[in-house]
Amino acid sequence: MSARPVLLVASSGGHLTQLRSLRPWWQGRERVWVTFRTPDAEAALAHESVRWAHHPTTRHVGNLLRNTVLALRTMGARRPSAVVSTGAGVALPFFVLAWLMRVPTVYIEVYDRIDTPTLTARLCKPFTRLYLAQWEEQRSFMPTAITVGPLL
């Protein structure tokens, strides 16, 4: 049996770009990406293992439920070693399920939110094992976070 993959979950666009910038960390690991099927995401992840999520997710209960089913299927097929996300809303069902399965979760607050946490960070907080901040100022609302510096 092969190694358990890292699950990299992010909305397409800037969230996905920030996760992709961690390439030196994830390139040597087995991984599965979860993001929205957009032209930029398809191009960026052309040679990767991808599960396409449903969007929009913010305040869209139907797609939250669809993404919860996707999380159940994705995580049930091969239990990941960790779930890592920069948000946005697509992360929530994966973090909840990871917490229930005792799979470590890592939430990286996005580059452009310095004074207040994102909605996704607030929703994922109870299910997050490790917070990473890109700016020291983000620790004012995430005091246990480790500042890693800007990813972009």
Side-chain angles (χ1 to χ4, degrees):
M1 177 179 249
S2 60
R4 292 172 33 201
V6 173
L7 195 59
L8 300 161
V9 182
S11 298
S12 55
H15 293 277
L16 180 60
T17 299
Q18 290 176 65
L19 267 188
R20 290 188 66 241
S21 75
L22 295 173
R23 183 184 179 112
W25 175 78
W26 55 253
Q27 71 181 352
R29 292 175 166 79
E30 186 172 348
R31 61 201 170 269
V32 175
W33 296 84
V34 177
T35 192
F36 304 139
R37 182 174 234 143
T38 59
D40 63 312
E42 286 183 323
L45 302 174
H47 302 290
E48 297 286 330
S49 175
V50 183
R51 304 299 179 266
W52 300 114
H54 304 275
H55 66 90
T57 55
T58 306
R59 298 173 183 89
H60 191 289
V61 175
N63 284 341
L64 173 63
L65 294 174
R66 287 179 190 91
N67 287 330
T68 300
V69 171
L70 177 65
L72 287 165
R73 288 181 178 156
T74 301
M75 295 180 68
R78 290 198 36 230
R79 182 183 169 138
S81 59
V83 177
V84 180
S85 183
T86 53
V90 68
L92 182 60
F94 289 88
F95 270 50
V96 172
L97 186 56
W99 181 78
L100 291 170
M101 294 173 68
R102 298 183 189 269
V103 171
T105 52
V106 180
Y107 189 87
I108 307 166
E109 186 59 289
V110 292
Y111 179 85
D112 57 344
R113 289 299 289 266
I114 297 172
D115 299 326
T116 59
T118 57
L119 174 60
T120 305
R122 292 190 313 255
L123 292 172
C124 288
K125 184 178 181 177
F127 313 104
T128 301
R129 182 179 291 180
L130 175 64
Y131 275 106
L132 300 178
Q134 296 188 51
W135 302 104
E136 188 63 29
E137 292 85 350
Q138 291 173 323
R139 295 193 64 235
S140 69
F141 56 83
M142 295 176 8
T144 61
I146 296 169
T147 304
V148 295
L151 300 181
L152 298 177

